[in-house]
Amino acid sequence: MKSTSNPTSNAVVLNGIGKTYENGAVVAVHDVSFDVRPGELFGLIGPDGAGKTSLFRILTTLLLPDAGTATVAGYDVVKDFRAIRGIVGYMPGKFSLYQDLSVEENVNFFATLFGTSVDENYDLIRDIYVQLEPFKHRRAGKLSGGMKQKLALCCALIHKPHVLFLDEPTTGVDPVSRKEFWEMLQRLKEQGIAILISTPYMDEAMMCERIALIQGGSIMSIDTPENIMQAFPATLYAVRATDAYHLRMDLLAEAFTESCHAFGDEVHLTLHTEGIAKAAGMEDVVAAMRARGHADVEIREIAPSIEDCFIRLMGQHHA
Amino acid sequence: MRTLLFLLRKEFRQIFRNVTILRMILLMPVMQLLILPNAANFEVKNITVCIVDHDHSVGSQRLVTSITASGYFKLALATPSYRDAMQLIEADKADLILEIPNGFDRNLVRDNKQTLFIAVNAINGVKANLGAAYLNTIITQYNAQLRTQWIQPTRFGPVSQIEISALNKFNPYLNYKVYMVPGIMAFLVTMVAAYLSALNIVKEKESGTIEQINVTPIRKYQFILGKLIPFWVLGLVVFTIGLLVMRFVYGIVPEGSVFLLYGFAVVYIFSVLGMGLLVSTYAETQQQAMFVAFFFIMIFIMLGGLFTSIDSMPAWAQVITRFNPVRYFIEVMRMVVIRGSTFDDIKMHFLAVIGMGIVLNGWAVLNYRKTS
């Protein structure tokens, strides 16, 4: 499929995109701007209800934005929606292929809708399709969750799109299939296809080249995962004791605590670095917790994860 | 064009894969056409009558015989006690009481005048009305017989009498099935076209496949045609099955042209599909679509003239029927099949249905644009 878009321009550009529902009562997306570069794997990271799906629907021309402009492969999402529909691949969060058609029939059907055939772009989907091949006469509705995702990816790729939009492709998929799925994406990236992917799983953010952290319809931070983690402004400690629940409550009660969140059986803690509560070190924390009756108190300094960054940004955002 | 072909192929593949629906499409017309016309019969028969004969004369016996011999009445009880008869009415075992007074025969001869009493159980209004009317007719006939017997023509000169004899045109034996079968066929075609098309599109909405389709370069008109054409074909298949059942089971041979019937069916299905399409643009779930479509089809059928004559509806209801496509199809079916009407007779019907088709489909397509 040919296109007249400028190859040096960004694959996706958003400029102050806004969208509200129910006559402005519900704000889905507010003033969102970011770019996805050609051939980039860009992650949109945020919890459920953050506005990820609304952004995807705007970029895939299924929804009209209320404010701002956006382009995909140089085409405006409002004016040139028809051109965009021919050159993007979209995989909605919910499995949306024909459950009563077989694997093969689904792939062929979507190929013909884009005026192409499976053979024409077979090299692009080969890695994925060989895994589906044994089930090609099975109806799509009877596939396992992981297989469904692979089939959906095949159908989204069948016309060699310039940009691939994947809305929470790994939600509800087992860990092994999730890992496989990300490996497939890395290979696709090598083919030069720009990929915009959303996920609520913070650990998957590390697989992206750049990420945007989104919360409540607004972007909190856009950078590479490494830069976002380095930008974490405080020293982070992991504290552990036998009673993790009360440990967190007791830490929150201390004056030196700046923030304190439960992570599994640990508590991630940052300390005040200024003011009267300053100067607390690891020993002070341990001593304070022992004084409150906690046994086996351990503390160590850790590198912040994306999730730590996300929670911290979320706190600032609300303040 | 190529894309449309692929869409149609996909659509038919899905329909043929859904065995339940396919079975319904083929079986429903046959079953309904076999059961409904035989069961839904408006002729009132088997009216149970109690005769309270206080007279027991030759004259009263002759009256009773002519009532029971008419074929409409079943004698429930012949009793000399009015109370016994009333008890049967109260138990809902009798519909009518005819009381013949004592000295009926003698007084009729002597006074040239006599009174009979009819009590009607009006719980079943239709049966009561018709029963009383039938009974009146029989008594009037009986009366007329008596007069011709007694009156001596030579003495009084000829007595002028008006005798009415009715000829039933187009359906000489007043065969109820000839009237019902074409109407039921119209109803069946409506069901298949309106329900299936509405549900099918909403199903795509529910499963999210419509989103996936919308992100492809496929054009709206291609998608809509891809949905309409299969149900158009199915509607005509149902119509054909109906025609075959009508011909070979009921032996009804259309008086008019079969091609004219098909021509009208093609236009009519287009119009009804528009209704299904319109419902599907508003409904978000198959449940909603089902309910809304059911609501409209109910009204269309009730106000379609299938069971009750449109001419006897109140004026406001008759106005509503003008906007009811089902009405036109039922009328055309009856006109062409029973009366042998030609295109010239039904051209206004054509116009009305085409108009509705354009409005419904146009509205649906516009609404489709807006929501995506």
Side-chain angles (χ1 to χ4, degrees), chain B residues 54-279:
Chain B
H54 298 298
D55 192 37
H56 295 292
S57 62
V58 179
S60 74
Q61 278 306 318
R62 264 168 56 192
L63 178 60
V64 172
T65 312
S66 54
I67 290 169
T68 48
S70 68
Y72 293 109
F73 295 100
K74 225 167 62 186
L75 188 61
L77 182 73
T79 167
S81 151
Y82 183 77
R83 267 181 47 205
D84 285 359
M86 203 55 210
Q87 269 174 358
L88 274 187
I89 291 248
E90 279 163 0
D92 210 18
K93 285 187 180 133
D95 300 309
L96 287 174
I97 300 175
L98 173 68
E99 195 177 24
I100 304 172
N102 192 6
F104 167 75
D105 201 12
R106 191 188 53 221
N107 294 347
L108 190 61
V109 177
R110 197 178 59 197
D111 305 342
N112 251 337
K113 201 169 119 192
Q114 198 39 268
T115 317
L116 288 169
F117 174 75
I118 300 174
V120 181
N121 176 4
I123 289 176
N124 183 342
V126 177
K127 215 173 182 183
N129 260 330
L130 283 173
Y134 288 159
L135 201 53
N136 263 323
T137 317
I138 292 168
I139 293 167
T140 314
Q141 274 172 3
Y142 173 79
N143 195 15
Q145 273 173 21
L146 285 183
R147 288 175 63 171
T148 39
Q149 265 177 16
W150 294 340
I151 292 166
Q152 310 236 327
T154 45
R155 211 166 127 195
F156 293 99
V159 178
S160 44
Q161 274 187 49
I162 298 175
E163 193 186 328
I164 300 164
S165 81
L167 173 63
N168 298 312
K169 288 284 280 179
F170 310 118
N171 186 1
Y173 304 108
L174 274 181
N175 185 346
Y176 186 71
K177 285 161 196 162
V178 170
Y179 179 70
M180 279 308 280
V181 171
I184 289 172
M185 278 181 60
F187 160 72
L188 285 174
V189 171
T190 312
M191 290 276 290
V192 169
Y195 269 119
L196 290 185
S197 63
L199 289 183
N200 186 287
I201 297 169
V202 177
K203 188 181 161 205
E204 296 238 4
K205 270 192 189 177
E206 254 184 358
S207 65
T209 44
I210 205 162
E211 296 269 275
Q212 199 86 63
I213 292 280
N214 281 344
V215 189
T216 69
I218 184 174
R219 305 293 288 262
K220 212 112 267 181
Y221 78 88
Q222 290 173 324
F223 180 77
I224 289 174
L225 280 180
K227 286 290 174 198
L228 290 187
I229 292 172
F231 294 106
W232 211 328
V233 173
L234 283 181
L236 288 174
V237 167
V238 168
F239 186 65
T240 307
I241 295 174
L243 280 179
L244 291 174
V245 172
M246 181 169 92
R247 171 68 189 83
F248 293 106
V249 177
Y250 293 100
I252 302 169
V253 185
E255 291 290 325
S257 156
V258 175
F259 292 106
L260 184 61
L261 285 178
Y262 269 102
F264 195 82
V266 164
V267 175
Y268 174 74
I269 298 172
F270 165 72
S271 162
V272 179
L273 284 173
M275 193 185 91
L277 196 63
L278 184 61
V279 169

Side-chain angles (χ1 to χ4, degrees), chain A residues 92-218:
Chain A
K94 192 180 145 221
F95 182 70
S96 312
L97 298 176
Y98 291 99
Q99 314 239 7
D100 45 357
L101 294 184
S102 72
V103 167
E104 199 179 21
E105 286 164 347
N106 264 301
V107 176
N108 281 330
F109 176 65
F110 282 99
T112 50
L113 285 193
F114 284 100
T116 177
S117 68
V118 176
D119 296 331
E120 214 169 306
N121 293 314
Y122 188 70
D123 51 321
L124 193 64
I125 60 163
R126 186 172 43 219
D127 289 346
I128 314 162
Y129 197 65
V130 286
Q131 303 179 47
L132 288 165
E133 204 100 54
F135 311 108
K136 70 178 184 187
H137 295 301
R138 191 179 286 189
R139 294 195 188 170
K142 300 251 186 282
L143 291 175
S144 68
M147 280 293 165
K148 276 183 181 163
Q149 295 307 83
K150 282 172 194 153
L151 175 58
L153 187 60
C154 269
C155 291
L157 280 172
I158 196 67
H159 56 295
K160 204 173 194 320
H162 293 206
V163 188
L164 192 55
F165 293 100
L166 308 172
D167 190 7
E168 299 202 6
T170 55
T171 301
V173 175
D174 68 86
V176 178
S177 297
R178 267 171 66 186
K179 193 162 161 291
E180 274 179 16
F181 195 84
W182 279 96
E183 282 163 6
M184 285 186 289
L185 294 187
Q186 299 296 343
R187 282 198 294 274
L188 286 176
K189 201 175 79 63
E190 287 157 19
Q191 308 259 4
I193 298 174
I195 302 172
L196 179 62
I197 184 168
S198 75
T199 175
Y201 301 124
M202 303 287 166
D203 55 318
E204 290 184 340
M206 296 303 293
M207 321 280 264
C208 302
E209 283 171 89
R210 285 195 308 147
I211 55 173
L213 300 182
I214 181 168
Q215 159 71 19
S218 302

Side-chain angles (χ1 to χ4, degrees), chain A residues 33 37 50 52 66 80 93 102 123 127 152 165 170 182 194 220 260 293:
Chain A
S33 306
R37 294 169 194 147
K52 303 190 296 289
D66 296 334
D80 310 321
S102 72
D123 51 321
D127 289 346
F165 293 100
T170 55
W182 279 96
M220 300 189 297
C260 169

